Amino acid sequence: MNLLSRETSPYLLQHSDNPVDWFPWSEEAIEKAKQESKPILLSIGYSACHWCHVMAHESFEDIETSELMNKFFVNIKLDREERPDLDKIYQTSYQLLTNQAGGWPLTVFINPDTLQPFFVGTYFPKVSRYGLPSFKEVLGGVYHYFNENRAKIQADGSAIKKSLLKMEEFLDTESKEPDHGLVMNLFTNLQEYFDPENGGFGSAPKFPPCHKIDFLIRLLSDQEVGKKDKNLAFLMADLTLKTMADRGLYDHLEGGFFRYSVDQKWEIPHFEKMLYDNAQLIRLYALMHMTSNNPHYKEVVLSVSGWMADKMLSDHNLFYSAIDADTDQEEGGTYVWSDDEIEKLLDPDEYLMLRQHFGLDQANNFEHSFHLQIKRKLADVASEHKLSLEAATQLKQTALNKLLKAREIRVQPAIDKKLLTGINALTISGLSACAIALNDEELKSTALECMNSLLLLNYRDGVLYTQPNHASNEVEGFLDDYAFTINAIMHTLELRWNSEYLTAALRLASRMIDQFYDSQNGGFYFSSETHQGLFHRSKNFYDDATPSGNAVAAKVLLRLGFLTGKPDFIDIAEQMLKTVNAHMKSRLDATTSLNTVVMEYLQPIEVVILRGSKNDLKLWQTHTRKTLKRRTICYAIPDSVSDLPESLSVKKFEGVIVAYICRGFSCSKPINDFKNYQEYLTESSARAQ
């Protein structure tokens, strides 16, 4: 066992019995490399990464390869989810050095004196193939290059550092205020890349376009967008969500979405399941259910959230991070079927229904097996067999239950049991939106319990950490952790008012500004000054699998600022949107979440603040949500609550209940008559159409 055996990260533990003398990222490893004048070999991945497993089996478990690694390098294994700051700067370095998109595993050879990379790659095979040299050839070549070209390595490292700094030169604190033209330019851009047959954008591989769908849904309530454009935005979002849920990206037996589709039609996935994808997707399906009343979207929300609660929820009431793509070194082995297997497990009527519904009468779609996806509408199959849709649905559900029971007997893929702050915060926000959209008490309870656990376990002594204190790698949270957690608190306040949560949000926001904000040049750094081992502090304005931390920071500062009367929060958010305005115009595809915040900045979201007795609050809040859906945030604050910021404590009431309707710093006169309130809601709903 090497030093990784001391760690709690499932990814690092997967490598703890490699013959490689792995170190975790540490001062000890860096100092050893300096003293021995050896380059650092940094290997970055995560537990559910298929090609990480392949390279591990081929090279890191191989005696000859490991001997070369141990002789020539100080070897560090890094879980990208534990240190996303390091992953981001080395991924960006890879892009600068190769002019290609990065990925995992990421293989980085580092100058120990500066921590700057001098050679980078991703997966290297054990023997030369795919147009790639063997990993052993790479090891030998890199070692000799390091010893013979130290001066050049030093100079190239400095050039990389300059390039990273130059990438942020677009920041302009004097740039123009964002305008609605930016919003419409993005909408035009999305239309250009939209796939009208399959939904989504572009070609294979296809990832769930969460940020783009969120933008399209937000567009539906934009007052400056015409009816025709709103209809088109709805169609684009609706087709994408429908197709993803019908085809192979979705697990039709258990619920949950896979990471991405290897083809353009969403048919064959890469079989890992990530919490962050599902956390964002359930929110989008819930919002579209409210907009379209499509019952299938409600089914998807309940199925995915049920899978999350059953398979991903820990005893600590926080969610695990991911489920592996591989089972016994075979990708998708748990999920695929032969036609014979299915036929033996089902009654004839059940088999006939599934055979036609899921296309089992067609050619195998995954190597020599089937991955389930809808090929014909259930209603059409039912009609052909003279069955009611209700009877066909019952047959389908009984059949799927049998298949799931049989699948659960198989060897299951490993679960990454890290309890990460940012991803759990995303999940809380998603569950909160679903609880409101579906008026579901169980989802509400899960969101509130998870929020309580997150603040209890990961927020300690005024500092937000990336994991609970039982994890071996105790690191203060990054920008995403802070911004996503504040956002989650704001969502749970809609479910149940809690003044302690509001206080926590304000304290987190103040620390986020103190530790991450660049007051001279604008924008937030991804890492704080407390994070060690960085040769560059980056600012990330681009979306990746999760929304840009800068975008979410701007959103929560706007909302917190208006709610609690803190103009300094609003000023920082406004300044950041001005800072990146010009750059957003040139990178519309990568700054979708920032553009969604621009919409809210230009048209401040309507906030209803209710004060009164518990029973009346519930009636008024329920009616608000039913009428206005998600165009309005509604906080119901009981009359017993007294410890409120001045901006809320001045909203007093006489009698039983009162409502204040606010946009920005401007609030309406108090409404204390239910009939008058109903009339206001009806008029407001009509204006938003």
Side-chain angles (χ1 to χ4, degrees), residues 121-132:
T122 51
Y123 162 78
F124 289 105
K126 184 177 180 179
V127 296
S128 299
R129 62 176 186 271
Y130 314 130
L132 295 169

Side-chain angles (χ1 to χ4, degrees), residues 24 108 146 156 162 171 174 191 201 237 253 312 316 359 472 474 584 635 651:
V108 192
F146 177 76
D156 289 347
K162 288 179 182 177
L171 299 179
E174 303 300 322
Q191 293 173 54
F201 302 87
L253 295 188
M312 303 297 281
H316 296 285
S472 60
E474 188 172 76
M584 286 173 65
Y635 297 115
K651 294 178 171 59

Side-chain angles (χ1 to χ4, degrees), residues 33 74 89 205 236 249 260 322 343 393 419 642 655 660:
V74 171
I89 60 172
M236 292 166 71
L249 191 73
Y260 65 87
E343 186 173 13
T393 301
L419 307 176
S642 57
Y660 294 84

